[in-house]
Amino acid sequence: QYVEAGPGKGSLLVDLMRFWSMLSQTSAGVGGNKMAPQLVHLLETSPKMRKVQRQALERDVGDKFNLVFQEPTTMTTTTATTDDDDATKKESNGRKESNGKKSADKPIANKPTVTIHWHDSMNMFQLWQKKNNSQLPTFAVCQEFMDALPIYAFEKTKDGWRERMVDIALREDLQKEEMEELNINPTVVDSGAYKMKPGQKKLRLRLVTAPEITPPAKTLLRVDENGLMPNEVETGQEAEVGTVIEVNPEAVLFAQDLAHVIGQQGGGALIIDYGQEGSHDSIRAFSNNEQVHFLSRPGQVDVTADVDFGALRQAVNHYRIPPKQQQEDGNVIIDNDNTTLSSTAEASPSRARAFGPTYQGAFLMAMGIKERAIQLSAQPETTEEDDENIYNALVRLCSPSEMGERFKVLTIVPGDESTEPPPGFAQHQ
């Protein structure tokens, strides 16, 4: 089965399904339609984006596969065949047929059937697996997904580490004072009838440091009563005032859950994103392809933060499966007297291993992207314009000045400390 976190418009999945179709056609004598995965799981919370993904699949690979869609709530099986809302509602009952295409219960002969499930989260995917007793080998891709997960930010102050928090730039008493100076009635502002004048200050959000040590600082940084981290206490060397650390606990937990699935069921995962080993002050936002302050227009800009690949690798390689989880997985531990160890059982090492990160450009080159580009250019139907597009795409993906070094790749595979790194990661363990 294939799992993709944050599939966006579905472009990557469409390309993969075209490749699966090509494999099915060229391997008809040695597996045929079995070259495509049985199941596709998309981790997507937005109903709007699910619709976009569904439309892309119908439009671009609907002629190659019998597509069976299953929504996360109703779990009803349908085949999408139209873009209009009325058709979508009817399809949710699994009965709609249009444009001459057959519904899910009448698959077209000689076309592979791929069932596509949507899940709101990794936890929901795992619950689906448990409910359906699914243990299929799992191949997962997280492309530009981890950077969108929420972070905690901490700043070193003269009083120790403090959590960064969001505040309103003007306190209520100052707002009132400012309005009185401008002869503005606060009740008029509250009613929305007052229009701001040119140059007049607006309420703005700002970053502040917490006055005290907060629970996240104690939990995530493990600071002591003086606001110092354990390594600062042990070495006696403190970070400089103004240093910023970002922590992404959701990304760490996601990587561990993914590693657990791969360790138990086989398969592998690729995490592709921008970031580095270590953390710094990186949170920012983009609007219309331009970088803006992430507090400038809440809810209207894309907020992102660099991924700490070192933290993800360490989280996977040092992850230990709790005894309760081992029993749920069917790995009940037996002692010398043939009695089950439950509450006294120790956590066992994960059966998965993380390698990387490596530069995206180096990874793609090791995977043969240059040879593939040459092969595509050599096709008889390739035009001069196609040639230029292929070359530009190769440069954009692999050049150090483009995406080649800005983006990193980390992989998770079944194994332990003795496992050799997979292709593309030999120099990055």
Side-chain angles (χ1 to χ4, degrees):
Q1 61 188 356
Y2 172 75
V3 176
E4 185 173 345
K9 296 180 180 179
S11 303
L12 176 61
L13 179 57
V14 165
D15 287 342
L16 283 172
M17 293 190 73
R18 284 174 175 153
F19 179 67
W20 297 338
S21 176
M22 181 184 70
L23 286 180
S24 296
Q25 295 171 10
T26 58
S27 307
V30 288
N33 294 343
K34 295 182 180 179
M35 298 303 294
Q38 299 177 31
L39 301 170
V40 169
H41 299 274
L42 302 180
L43 308 188
E44 176 62 70
T45 60
S46 169
K48 179 180 179 181
M49 293 309 300
R50 288 176 189 157
K51 184 176 181 180
V52 171
Q53 294 151 15
R54 180 171 176 162
Q55 291 172 347
L57 292 169
E58 292 173 342
R59 179 185 64 246
D60 298 330
V61 294
D63 60 328
K64 298 176 174 61
F65 294 91
N66 291 308
L67 301 176
V68 181
F69 297 95
Q70 292 197 344
E71 292 289 341
T73 51
T74 61
M75 301 301 289
T76 54
T77 303
T78 65
T79 293
T81 53
T82 184
D83 293 343
D84 62 273
D85 293 336
D86 181 63
T88 302
K89 293 178 181 177
K90 293 180 181 179
E91 287 167 357
S92 66
N93 296 322
R95 297 189 298 267
K96 177 67 181 176
E97 294 186 33
S98 65
N99 299 334
K101 294 183 180 180
K102 298 185 178 182
S103 62
D105 57 348
K106 297 179 181 179
I108 300 175
N110 300 322
K111 285 173 59 176
T113 296
V114 175
T115 303
I116 298 164
H117 298 263
W118 279 283
H119 306 280
D120 290 328
S121 64
M122 186 65 178
N123 287 339
M124 296 305 294
F125 164 65
Q126 291 175 296
L127 287 174
W128 181 93
Q129 284 211 123
K130 187 174 182 180
K131 179 180 178 181
N132 292 273
N133 195 27
S134 174
Q135 290 289 313
L136 292 172
T138 302
F139 296 89
V141 172
C142 308
Q143 183 179 30
E144 292 190 72
F145 170 73
M146 298 291 193
D147 67 276
L149 297 178
I151 65 163
Y152 288 85
F154 305 91
E155 182 177 339
K156 185 64 180 291
T157 71
K158 61 182 180 59
D159 298 316
W161 287 98
R162 293 292 187 270
E163 182 180 359
R164 274 187 169 181
M165 310 186 86
V166 178
D167 186 28
I168 295 177
L170 296 176
R171 300 194 311 272
E172 184 175 353
D173 57 336
L174 293 181
Q175 295 172 29
K176 183 178 180 181
E177 181 179 317
E178 180 187 14
M179 286 187 289
E180 288 176 349
E181 290 178 358
L182 296 173
N183 294 320
I184 300 171
N185 186 344
T187 58
V188 176
V189 177
D190 293 338
S191 69
Y194 178 77
K195 302 299 182 182
M196 302 295 288
K197 298 178 181 179
Q200 185 175 330
K201 291 182 179 179
K202 299 179 181 179
L203 297 182
R204 298 181 185 276
L205 299 177
R206 63 173 179 175
L207 285 177
V208 298
T209 53
E212 305 291 340
I213 298 174
T214 57
K218 294 179 181 179
T219 304
L220 300 176
L221 297 190
R222 296 184 297 147
V223 299
D224 61 14
E225 64 276 6
N226 297 317
L228 299 179
M229 290 194 291
N231 64 316
E232 292 179 303
V233 175
E234 292 172 3
T235 63
Q237 298 179 346
E238 297 185 24
E240 293 183 5
V241 172
T243 302
V244 175
I245 292 178
E246 296 173 342
V247 181
N248 192 333
E250 287 196 27
V252 167
L253 294 174
F254 188 97
Q256 289 179 333
D257 286 343
L258 192 56
H260 182 72
V261 171
I262 292 170
Q264 292 292 323
Q265 301 170 204
L270 289 175
I271 298 175
I272 308 166
D273 226 312
Y274 44 82
Q276 61 285 312
E277 294 192 59
S279 172
H280 65 111
D281 187 4
S282 71
I283 188 169
R284 56 200 180 279
F286 292 90
S287 177
N288 297 323
N289 296 320
E290 292 186 1
Q291 185 169 332
V292 297
H293 195 281
F294 73 97
L295 295 178
S296 59
R297 284 174 287 156
Q300 301 178 25
V301 296
D302 294 326
V303 181
T304 180
D306 284 3
V307 176
D308 183 351
F309 284 98
L312 298 185
R313 184 185 64 240
Q314 185 175 19
V316 171
N317 293 344
H318 292 270
Y319 176 58
R320 299 184 71 82
I321 306 171
K324 182 179 180 181
Q325 183 65 58
Q326 296 175 44
Q327 294 182 15
E328 290 178 355
D329 294 334
N331 302 315
V332 179
I333 304 173
I334 307 296
D335 67 6
N336 294 332
D337 298 324
N338 289 326
T339 57
T340 302
L341 299 178
S342 54
S343 60
T344 59
E346 295 183 357
S348 66
S350 169
R351 299 173 184 172
R353 194 79 178 162
F355 294 92
T358 185
Y359 293 130
Q360 174 180 283
F363 172 76
L364 292 175
M365 284 294 186
M367 293 295 99
I369 189 173
K370 183 176 72 173
E371 290 76 11
R372 177 60 176 161
I374 294 173
Q375 183 185 57
L376 289 174
S377 295
Q379 298 294 322
E381 63 273 17
T382 301
T383 64
E384 289 186 6
E385 182 180 356
D386 293 333
D387 262 339
E388 185 175 355
N389 290 335
I390 292 170
Y391 174 77
N392 290 336
L394 181 65
V395 171
R396 185 176 69 255
L397 291 170
C398 299
S399 172
S401 61
E402 298 276 350
M403 298 170 64
E405 291 189 0
R406 177 64 173 140
F407 280 74
K408 312 293 193 305
V409 186
L410 181 138
T411 188
I412 302 174
V413 295
D416 53 28
E417 293 181 355
S418 64
T419 302
E420 292 293 323
F425 295 90
Q427 303 301 322
H428 301 267
Q429 301 183 35

